[in-house]
């Protein structure tokens, strides 16, 4: 298998590539995360995933062979508002207060560039996550653990927040940040086999 450049420093995404035995290298793309006002909020993560791939592509000099590149971006959508990563404890508390007792959407956009065919494709995966009602004491306890750091929406599905997650409709790997079914389907479509 050819190595894939992962345009993300996310340890969770790296764990999923390891699980699939896909050789990879990390090349972080620092992009401007703004997006056009004429796209729907559900399309924003896919738009940003494509931007990440393009940013990594631009790091290769003209005439240089560009490898396979994978970009991903995960955001949370609740009541017409997008949530990224909380910047501090106060914002993490606010996110939990707004999520508790409600269902939000976890949206991951994937972008894959096939360096052999010079072809790019992208997809979006959406999972509904329902939080149980939480007391202020539970929210404060959770935020004090620090488990929210560097996580979209301020929680990880495989972390302590799972104490409060009542229901998931969709794929667990999407909430982790790299939907395995969509990734496998995109790779298969491009002739990249992980069945070796």
């Amino acid at each position: 298998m050819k190595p894939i450049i992962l345009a993300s420093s996310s340890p969770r995404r790296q764990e999923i590539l390891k699980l699939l035995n896909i050789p990879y290298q990390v090349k972080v793309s620092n992009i401007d995360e703004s997006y056009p006002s004429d796209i729907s909020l559900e399309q924003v993560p896919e738009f940003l995933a494509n931007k990440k791939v393009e940013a990594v592509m631009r790091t290769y000099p003209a005439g240089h062979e560009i490898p396979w590149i994978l970009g991903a971006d995960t955001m949370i959508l609740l009541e017409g508002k997008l949530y990224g990563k909380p910047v501090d404890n106060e914002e993490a508390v606010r996110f939990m207060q707004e999520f508790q007792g409600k269902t939000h959407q976890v949206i991951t956009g994937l972008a894959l560039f096939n360096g052999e065919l010079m072809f790019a494709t992208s997809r979006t995966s959406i999972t509904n996550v329902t939080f149980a009602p939480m007391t202020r004491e539970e929210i404060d306890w959770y935020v004090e653990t620090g488990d929210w750091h560097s996580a979209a929406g301020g929680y990880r599905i495989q972390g302590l927040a799972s104490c409060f997650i009542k229901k998931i409709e969709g794929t667990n790997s999407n909430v982790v940040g790299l939907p395995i079914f969509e990734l496998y389907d995109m790779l298969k479509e491009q002739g990249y086999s992980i069945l070796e």
Side-chain angles (χ1 to χ4, degrees):
M1 281 186 277
K2 292 208 168 179
I4 290 179
I5 303 297
L6 176 62
S8 165
S9 60
S10 162
R12 266 66 54 197
R13 291 184 181 127
Q14 293 176 48
E15 283 165 17
I16 288 173
L17 292 180
K18 283 177 192 164
L19 171 74
L20 298 172
N21 287 319
I22 294 173
Y24 70 91
Q25 295 165 1
V26 172
K27 200 172 228 192
V28 181
S29 53
N30 295 313
I31 60 159
D32 163 20
E33 296 209 354
S34 60
Y35 52 87
S37 57
D38 62 344
I39 67 170
S40 73
L41 294 178
E42 288 86 352
Q43 293 173 300
V44 171
E46 190 173 320
F47 175 83
L48 294 177
N50 277 299
K51 271 179 96 167
K52 289 177 180 180
V53 168
E54 288 161 14
V56 169
M57 285 171 67
R58 284 194 298 274
T59 66
Y60 291 91
H64 189 282
E65 184 185 337
I66 299 174
W68 290 78
I69 305 170
L70 174 65
D73 193 83
T74 302
M75 287 188 167
I76 285 172
L77 180 62
L78 174 65
E79 296 169 351
K81 179 181 170 187
L82 280 177
Y83 294 76
K85 298 170 185 171
V87 295
D88 55 25
N89 278 35
E90 194 177 301
E91 191 168 47
V93 166
R94 187 166 52 76
F95 283 13
M96 286 300 117
Q97 287 173 326
E98 291 173 15
F99 295 163
Q100 62 93 23
K102 295 178 187 165
T103 299
H104 61 256
Q105 293 182 308
V106 178
I107 306 168
T108 299
L110 284 182
L112 179 68
F113 178 77
N114 178 337
E116 293 167 14
L117 300 178
M118 300 298 283
F119 180 79
T121 184
S122 60
R123 301 252 180 107
T124 292
S125 177
I126 299 176
T127 299
N128 291 324
V129 176
T130 304
F131 267 75
M134 296 168 72
T135 65
R136 181 58 200 250
E137 184 184 15
E138 288 172 325
I139 290 171
D140 288 344
W141 168 79
Y142 171 70
V143 171
E144 283 304 312
T145 67
D147 199 45
W148 57 270
H149 286 283
S150 301
Y155 74 90
R156 292 181 180 81
I157 197 80
Q158 71 279 28
L160 293 171
S162 57
C163 293
F164 311 108
I165 293 170
K166 187 177 178 181
K167 186 167 70 171
I168 300 171
E169 296 168 280
T171 65
N172 195 58
S173 60
N174 176 46
V175 187
V176 173
L178 193 60
I180 295 173
F181 172 78
E182 284 80 0
L183 173 62
Y184 177 69
D185 205 43
M186 289 167 79
L187 289 168
K188 188 166 68 168
E189 189 180 82
Q190 293 298 311
Y192 186 105
S193 176
I194 68 166
L195 309 180
E196 296 171 13

